[in-house]
Amino acid sequence: MEGGGRVSWIKYGPLVSLFVVLLALWFRSPQRAELDDRLDTVLSSLLRAERKVGMNNVARPKVAVGFGGCVDLIVDGVSLLNKIGLPLTDQPLHHNYIENEVQLAQSFAYFFAPGAAAERFMLNDTLFNELVEASRDLPGNRWAVGGNAPVMAGRMATEGCDVLLGGSFSPDFTDVLSQHITVAGNVVEEPDIHLILEYPSGAKWGQYSSRRANRYIIHSDDHNPYLDSMEEFAQKLEDFKPDLLVVGGLQMMDNFPFNFGEREALFSRLAELLSSSSPQIGVHFEMASFVEESIMEDLLHYVIPHADSLGMNEQELPNLLSLLKGSNITVLSDPNPRVATVLDQMREVYRILNQRYKDASAEGDSKVKPLTRLHVHTLAFQAMIVTRGSQWKNTMSATAKASLTANRHVCGSNDIDPSKARLIMDDSFSVSRQEGSQRIPLQETRPVSCWNEEDYEICVAPVLVCTEVYQTAGGGDNISAAGLVLQI
């Protein structure tokens, strides 16, 4: 009897399995099909918006990007911390820099649980080298070109630009760069290593669980803080004649142990470089994870007044706004903010910085520029404010391209697979947190919403959030660079 039962099961097993699959499809099909259709429609509409502006039969735009560069060693963060036996902590704490294992555990837990991006300088060379050595033979580790400037340069070259890159690199490093990238800077024997601790949504480290995929970056970089390629970069700028000048990587100077007066001298030279560029050249500054209040003050004094355009994420926006309003730095903010919240913060940053420009102009300072472009990239959506009549064009298409680039980079594929994506932006959003504000529905056939306010245009696009994460590090740089390409 038992043998007969097994034969019957073997004989009819495939039919039973097929029946179970069909039954599952029957019950989930309508909702799943509707969701798949929606994602397909949003994707095709975003692609159509991106393609509205082509770069065919047009001279390659010229972009100059500084400063610095490194080699990223990318690992699974939790696996690395477990491998080195980092003691768990029950006290998540923010530290401006890392000196020992206790601070590393506290700092990692502080950002890991909410899933917020962070980057910290490690004063302890011995601990940093131990982490690097442990990472070298960790399964799944990867090496990649790193640093804000090289990553943005790489994306812009891929998207059709000729790029002048300011940084000091090893010969091996420059060999892997695009042929459309020209390097201005010194040659170094060994590039600095930045350790990228990636983690997916729902990852667990002890009692902590990450709310979203992100990364925690640590480095012990003693080259890039000095912006030592700036002089050669400035010299080559004159002949290169760029359409756009991009500055990033300045977070390397955050909490770095400079001698007295060194950092201020570097910022003064950078301000001179930015202010001496032709008024016709757009200047974009890409924000990053800054935690030292004095360096933020330096940025507000030496860098931001000379930038037409700013790019940042959902952590960096409230950080900048808080400082502009005279408050303390905001180290950790909501990693999944609502559209209305972000738009209100963007309007306020735009208003305050342009009021500063008007005040400086009234006092006879002709080197200060008005802010005419502000791009904020979040996990769920892209948002841009662009002054009407400014040099920035194609805002709708640029916002769509930024959105698509977010998925392409994080999923690690130029082809976007809707089955590996989801929409987490609300079906409709308020344009402001003020009572009675207009609500805008997400239209699948026209997913990029644009409208005019005061002297600027606002565009918001949903992101097809990647559900099978390949890499989050470098996401903001790729997104910002791709958005800029269509606007110069």
Side-chain angles (χ1 to χ4, degrees):
M1 281 294 292
E2 287 179 5
R6 278 198 298 270
V7 170
S8 298
W9 170 247
I10 292 170
K11 182 177 179 181
Y12 296 109
L15 288 175
V16 173
S17 298
L18 179 61
F19 176 74
V20 170
V21 169
L22 289 173
L23 198 64
L25 288 172
W26 174 266
F27 280 111
R28 73 170 185 165
S29 177
Q31 186 178 8
R32 183 70 242 182
E34 183 180 343
L35 191 59
D36 290 344
D37 288 346
R38 188 178 190 223
L39 285 171
D40 286 341
T41 304
V42 170
L43 173 58
S44 61
S45 301
L46 286 171
L47 289 168
R48 190 165 57 251
E50 178 188 42
R51 286 193 296 264
K52 270 193 171 183
V53 182
M55 296 181 68
N56 299 331
N57 305 317
V58 178
R60 294 177 70 94
K62 290 185 172 184
V63 183
V65 186
F67 293 95
C70 61
V71 173
D72 284 344
L73 177 48
I74 304 164
V75 297
D76 179 79
V78 173
S79 298
L80 174 62
L81 298 187
N82 288 340
K83 180 179 179 181
I84 66 167
L86 188 74
L88 287 163
T89 179
D90 58 1
Q91 193 176 16
L93 276 179
H94 155 64
H95 295 281
N96 285 351
Y97 49 85
I98 307 300
E99 293 186 279
N100 51 52
E101 286 190 342
V102 172
Q103 290 182 349
L104 175 59
Q106 291 174 336
S107 180
F108 181 78
Y110 184 82
F111 293 100
F112 173 79
E119 184 168 359
R120 291 295 178 272
F121 177 73
M122 184 169 276
L123 277 172
N124 187 329
D125 286 341
T126 303
L127 176 57
F128 183 76
N129 291 332
E130 287 175 2
L131 288 164
V132 170
E133 288 308 308
S135 299
R136 288 181 187 274
D137 58 356
L138 200 66
N141 75 45
R142 300 193 317 278
W143 296 85
V145 170
N148 302 82
V151 171
M152 293 188 80
R155 171 57 64 178
M156 288 175 149
T158 298
E159 301 291 350
C161 299
D162 287 329
V163 183
L164 177 67
L165 172 60
S168 299
F169 309 118
S170 66
D172 290 344
F173 189 104
T174 53
D175 286 346
V176 301
L177 294 176
S178 163
Q179 63 180 353
H180 294 290
I181 297 176
T182 301
V183 173
N186 305 320
V187 176
V188 295
E189 290 185 14
E190 291 291 333
D192 284 282
I193 295 173
H194 289 198
L195 201 49
I196 317 295
L197 279 62
E198 292 265 354
Y199 52 84
S201 175
K204 294 190 183 303
W205 186 56
Q207 71 267 40
Y208 305 106
S209 180
S210 60
R211 284 173 51 191
R212 55 167 281 191
N214 226 318
R215 73 277 183 188
Y216 182 91
I217 303 174
I218 45 177
H219 66 89
S220 190
D221 193 327
D222 56 6
H223 287 110
N224 288 306
Y226 289 101
L227 309 182
D228 54 4
S229 62
M230 185 160 39
E231 188 173 338
E232 186 177 340
F233 183 73
Q235 291 172 357
K236 290 192 174 182
L237 263 181
E238 293 183 23
D239 293 331
F240 186 68
K241 293 182 172 53
D243 302 297
L244 174 68
L245 174 58
V246 177
V247 176
L250 301 186
Q251 76 275 14
M252 293 295 98
M253 305 166 82
D254 191 296
N255 280 293
F256 184 79
F258 287 105
N259 292 326
F260 179 77
E262 275 186 322
R263 191 170 74 188
E264 187 176 2
L266 288 168
F267 271 123
S268 293
R269 284 168 53 202
L270 178 56
E272 187 178 339
L273 168 66
L274 297 177
S275 62
S276 63
S277 64
S278 168
Q280 282 71 47
I281 298 174
V283 176
H284 173 82
F285 172 51
E286 188 66 21
M287 290 281 291
S289 180
F290 293 97
V291 293
E292 189 182 356
E293 198 151 309
S294 60
I295 196 173
M296 287 292 289
E297 294 285 1
D298 285 340
L299 293 173
L300 286 174
H301 181 71
Y302 292 106
V303 180
I304 291 175
H306 304 297
D308 311 271
S309 169
L310 298 177
M312 61 198 73
N313 67 18
E314 74 287 339
Q315 298 292 314
E316 296 146 13
L317 173 65
N319 191 5
L320 174 60
L321 179 57
S322 179
L323 203 68
L324 284 171
K325 293 168 72 174
S327 301
N328 295 328
I329 276 181
T330 305
V331 176
L332 185 61
S333 302
D334 184 354
N336 293 297
R338 308 297 288 267
V339 176
T341 301
V342 169
L343 292 181
D344 281 346
Q345 291 170 339
M346 291 175 71
R347 291 182 186 98
E348 205 161 358
V349 166
Y350 181 89
R351 180 186 61 77
I352 293 172
L353 288 179
N354 279 311
Q355 185 58 53
R356 288 188 169 203
Y357 158 73
K358 290 172 185 173
D359 294 344
S361 297
E363 293 172 6
D365 188 345
S366 60
K367 293 183 177 180
V368 176
K369 287 186 168 188
L371 178 67
T372 52
R373 180 182 182 274
L374 179 56
H375 177 192
V376 175
H377 37 85
T378 80
L379 178 68
F381 59 91
Q382 304 291 317
M384 284 193 197
I385 285 181
V386 173
T387 304
R388 292 195 301 279
S390 64
Q391 75 267 41
W392 310 107
K393 54 191 180 182
N394 308 319
T395 306
M396 189 275 289
S397 293
T399 311
K401 188 174 190 67
S403 170
L404 293 165
T405 303
N407 181 286
R408 289 166 179 151
H409 174 77
V410 175
C411 273
S413 172
N414 285 329
D415 297 321
I416 297 175
D417 183 353
S419 70
K420 298 178 182 178
R422 65 190 177 107
L423 289 170
I424 62 174
M425 193 172 101
D426 293 336
D427 289 342
S428 67
F429 63 88
S430 292
V431 300
S432 171
R433 293 178 67 188
Q434 290 186 358
E435 194 173 341
S437 295
Q438 176 191 3
R439 287 196 72 85
I440 295 180
L442 172 58
Q443 299 180 54
E444 288 84 354
T445 55
R446 298 187 67 181
V448 186
S449 302
C450 298
W451 65 96
N452 290 330
E453 294 182 13
E454 298 186 13
D455 67 337
Y456 51 81
E457 178 184 25
I458 295 180
C459 285
V460 175
V463 172
L464 294 167
V465 180
C466 178
T467 56
E468 295 186 15
V469 175
Y470 174 73
Q471 180 177 325
T472 66
D477 296 323
N478 275 274
I479 292 164
S480 273
L484 282 164
V485 164
L486 295 187
Q487 296 201 267
I488 52 180

